């Protein structure tokens, strides 16, 4: 039975020592101080007697005037920690059971050396109480106790209290009941069940605070940059209440609505996105104003109080001649014209009639596209009329008499129309104002059976295109 008990205790110890969870700040603690051993609890015949002399340190407690215990614990989560305690003492007081007179006698069992190695599983009620200093605990465990040359396993249970003076240092007291598996109450022969009391100082350690901001890494959202506790260890450089990680302007104080950036002009656009940060403006124009509402910002608008197109720097297009055709579209910007004629004056009916008359007098040599001499003054007059109407367009229609075959006449009529076009272009008429076509002998204006009629049919007509 004794060996079985030892095996059970060893397994419990091993399980505790293999627990390696680390999920709290400063998970390790070290306690040391003095311990006292009291055998009255196992001698008493009633519960009242067990605790009536609980604090009778003079008659019942065994203690030595030196450091006599050391505990190492590790927090494993959910308010639970595992610890191992080593203790030493000297048994000079052994409480016997009641004698015939109803007294508990106390003897010296022989200055027996006491050694204890115990594992405890401790539960803290500190979080449940919401306290920052008082840390009441309950523990269970087991261990091995040596009393001079004898030893046995024990099952332990107890309560304790630690007063934490700060995050690292506390004053601790604890009382454990150690139930012996070999309790015949024969000093030097076995180890009786007993109470063991501890009083000492406890240090917590093992927490990591890389950036030294007082917030441990496991709770620090910015573990490598010093910050503030209220922001889980993250910095707020500009002090605007928005942590740098979420602050679009971490070095300039701003508002939450602007993602931490300022809005100096109050137009709802953060300064870092505002092209005009000191003057209230429109979102569509990146925070710049547009007084005249023409879509061009005031700073780029040469006419900020008058609407105008962006292409003209925000100014209205001029119409110098007042003909309702803007100068940019007016082919005659200094001469009043009509919208239909691109701002130029419409060609007069007299000019159209003159051109039609001149066209009938553009005469060619027979079978050729060369002009007869009397035609040259006519061409000069045509050039003058076309220049007086610089935006007007015309068609040049070439015709022949019936001499020769139809195919040859078609070619010749095209050549004659092209000859007139070339003359006009050479004398300053824009080519894009003129088109030329040939109709051969298909559109006679006189009788091809007479010499005069054939002459009249060899012509190029000039017609105004509306």
């Amino acid at each position: 039975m004794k060996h079985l008990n030892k095996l059970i205790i060893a397994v419990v110890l091993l399980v505790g020592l293999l627990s390696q969870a680390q999920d709290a700040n400063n998970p390790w603690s070290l306690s040391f101080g003095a311990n006292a051993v009291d055998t009255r609890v196992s001698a008493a015949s009633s519960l009242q007697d067990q605790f009536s002399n609980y604090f009778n340190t003079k008659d019942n407690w065994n203690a030595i005037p030196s450091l006599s215990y050391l505990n190492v614990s590790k927090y494993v989560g959910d308010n639970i920690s595992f610890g191992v305690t080593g203790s030493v003492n000297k048994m000079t007081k052994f409480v016997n059971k009641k004698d015939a007179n109803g007294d508990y006698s106390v003897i010296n069992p022989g200055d027996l050396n006491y050694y204890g190695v115990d594992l405890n599983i401790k539960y803290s009620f500190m979080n449940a109480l919401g306290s920052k200093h008082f840390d009441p605990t309950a523990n269970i465990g087991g261990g091995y106790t040596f009393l001079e040359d004898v030893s046995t396993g024990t099952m332990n249970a107890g309560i304790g209290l630690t007063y934490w003076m700060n995050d690292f240092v506390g004053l601790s007291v604890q009382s454990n009941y150690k139930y012996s598996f070999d309790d015949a109450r024969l000093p030097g022969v076995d180890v009786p069940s007993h109470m063991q009391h501890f009083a000492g100082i406890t240090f917590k350690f093992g927490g990591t605070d890389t950036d030294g901001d007082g917030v441990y890494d496991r709770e620090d959202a910015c573990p490598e940059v010093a910050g503030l506790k209220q922001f889980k260890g993250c910095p707020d450089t500009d002090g605007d209440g928005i942590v740098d990680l979420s602050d679009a302007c971490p070095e300039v104080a701003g508002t939450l609505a602007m993602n931490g950036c300022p809005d100096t002009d109050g137009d709802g656009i953060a300064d870092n996105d505002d092209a005009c940060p000191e003057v209230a403006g429109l979102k569509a124009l990146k925070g710049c104003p547009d007084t005249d509402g023409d879509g061009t910002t005031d700073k780029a608008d040469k006419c900020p109080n008058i609407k105008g197109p962006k292409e003209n720097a925000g100014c209205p297009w001029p119409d110098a001649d007042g003909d309702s055709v803007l100068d940019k579209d007016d082919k005659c910007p200094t001469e009043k014209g009509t919208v239909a004629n691109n701002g130029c004056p419409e060609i007069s009916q007299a000019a159209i009639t003159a051109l039609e008359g001149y066209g009938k007098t553009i005469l060619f040599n027979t079978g050729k596209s060369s002009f007869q001499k009397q035609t040259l003054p006519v061409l000069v007059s045509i050039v003058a009329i076309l220049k007086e109407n610089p935006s007007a367009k015309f068609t040049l229609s070439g015709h022949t008499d019936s001499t020769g075959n139809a195919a040859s006449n078609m070619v010749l009529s095209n050549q004659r129309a092209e000859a007139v076009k070339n003359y006009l272009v050479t004398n300053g008429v824009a080519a894009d104002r003129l088109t030329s076509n040939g109709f051969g002998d298909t559109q006679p204006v006189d009788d091809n059976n007479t010499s005069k009629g054939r002459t009249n049919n060899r012509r190029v007509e000039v017609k105004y295109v509306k």
Side-chain angles (χ1 to χ4, degrees):
M1 175 64 84
K2 180 180 291 188
H3 295 297
L4 178 59
N5 293 336
K6 292 179 180 178
L7 179 61
I8 293 173
I9 298 301
V11 170
V12 173
L13 284 169
L14 180 62
V15 171
L17 292 174
L18 290 178
S19 299
Q20 296 297 320
Q22 184 178 2
D23 55 3
N25 298 324
N26 293 309
W28 290 96
S29 71
L30 177 67
S31 301
F32 56 86
N35 83 90
V37 176
D38 181 3
T39 60
R40 181 182 175 87
V41 68
S42 58
S45 59
S46 66
L47 184 64
Q48 179 181 355
D49 287 349
Q50 287 178 348
F51 291 98
S52 62
N53 278 257
Y54 187 83
F55 292 107
N56 189 345
T57 60
K58 178 180 178 182
D59 296 330
N60 300 336
W61 285 21
N62 296 273
I64 56 176
S66 65
L67 179 70
S68 59
Y69 87 90
L70 178 69
N71 172 268
V72 178
S73 296
K74 187 176 183 183
Y75 181 81
V76 296
D78 295 328
N79 303 308
I80 297 173
S81 60
F82 283 92
V84 176
T85 303
S87 59
V88 297
N89 213 316
K90 185 175 288 294
M91 295 288 291
T92 61
K93 301 171 184 176
F94 187 87
V95 181
N96 288 313
K97 292 181 177 292
K98 275 186 178 181
D99 57 22
N101 298 320
D103 297 324
Y104 293 97
S105 61
V106 180
I107 64 170
N108 184 337
D111 293 349
L112 303 178
N113 290 320
Y114 177 100
Y115 303 98
V117 179
D118 299 285
L119 168 73
N120 64 296
I121 303 171
K122 184 183 294 185
Y123 184 86
S124 170
F125 296 93
M126 187 174 183
N127 290 335
L129 295 176
S131 174
K132 293 184 178 180
H133 298 286
F134 291 96
D135 183 9
T137 59
N139 71 84
I140 59 172
Y144 226 77
T145 300
F146 300 84
L147 191 58
E148 201 64 47
D149 295 329
V150 297
S151 62
T152 189
T154 63
M155 291 298 293
N156 310 332
I159 57 175
L161 176 67
T162 300
Y163 177 78
W164 293 106
M165 295 180 286
N166 54 43
D167 287 345
F168 307 100
V169 182
L171 300 177
S172 302
V173 292
Q174 183 173 309
S175 290
N176 285 350
Y177 174 72
K178 302 178 72 173
Y179 175 78
S180 171
F181 289 105
D182 189 9
D183 186 3
R185 297 194 57 75
L186 297 173
V189 177
D190 64 358
V191 178
S193 298
H194 56 280
M195 292 292 297
Q196 187 172 24
H197 312 292
F198 303 90
I201 188 169
T202 300
F203 296 92
K204 288 194 294 186
F205 62 95
T208 303
D209 180 13
T210 301
D211 52 22
D213 59 2
V215 181
Y216 293 106
D217 287 0
R218 67 179 295 272
E219 295 178 350
D220 198 329
C222 304
E224 297 183 358
V225 183
L228 305 173
K229 287 186 177 181
Q230 62 264 39
F231 297 131
K232 294 185 178 180
C234 287
D236 176 19
T237 302
D238 53 21
D240 59 4
I242 303 169
V243 295
D244 290 358
L245 285 175
S246 303
D247 198 328
C249 301
E251 297 182 357
V252 184
T255 64
L256 183 61
M258 296 289 107
N259 294 321
C261 290
D263 177 17
T264 302
D265 54 20
D267 59 3
I269 302 170
D271 288 359
N272 61 324
D273 296 323
D274 198 327
C276 303
E278 297 182 358
V279 184
L282 306 172
K283 288 186 179 181
L285 298 177
K286 295 184 177 180
C288 289
D290 176 19
T291 302
D292 56 18
D294 61 2
T296 302
T297 62
D298 287 358
K299 68 178 183 178
D301 198 330
K302 291 184 178 179
C303 303
N305 297 311
I306 304 173
K307 285 187 177 183
K310 186 179 295 184
E311 295 78 11
N312 199 39
C315 291
W317 291 107
D319 178 15
D321 55 17
D323 60 2
S324 300
V325 180
L326 301 177
D327 288 359
K328 70 182 184 69
D329 301 318
D330 198 330
K331 294 190 176 179
C332 302
T334 60
E335 186 177 4
K336 183 174 288 189
T338 65
V339 175
N341 203 34
N342 298 316
C344 289
E346 294 282 357
I347 187 170
S348 66
Q349 187 58 46
I352 294 174
T353 301
L355 287 173
E356 290 176 351
Y358 288 142
K360 295 178 181 179
T361 58
I362 300 174
L363 303 177
F364 294 89
N365 295 310
T366 303
K368 298 179 180 180
S369 60
S370 57
F371 302 115
Q372 293 184 7
K373 289 182 179 181
Q374 64 268 34
T375 297
L376 293 177
V378 174
L379 293 173
V380 171
S381 298
I382 292 174
V383 169
I385 294 175
L386 266 58
K387 286 184 176 181
E388 289 174 358
N389 298 275
S391 65
K393 294 186 177 183
F394 302 89
T395 61
L396 307 173
S397 302
H399 301 274
T400 67
D401 58 25
S402 60
T403 304
N405 62 56
S408 298
N409 288 338
M410 188 63 70
V411 173
L412 181 59
S413 65
N414 273 297
Q415 291 174 344
R416 287 175 174 173
E418 192 65 26
V420 174
K421 179 179 179 180
N422 289 338
Y423 180 88
L424 298 176
V425 171
T426 301
N427 286 274
V429 179
D432 61 358
R433 296 174 57 198
L434 306 171
T435 57
S436 62
N437 295 289
F439 295 93
D441 58 6
T442 61
Q443 297 179 9
V445 295
D446 209 342
D447 187 358
N448 278 312
N449 293 319
T450 67
S451 175
K452 182 181 179 182
R454 287 192 295 273
T455 297
N456 290 335
N457 287 334
R458 296 192 297 272
R459 70 199 188 279
V460 173
E461 296 177 351
V462 183
K463 294 183 178 180
Y464 170 62
V465 179
K466 292 185 179 180

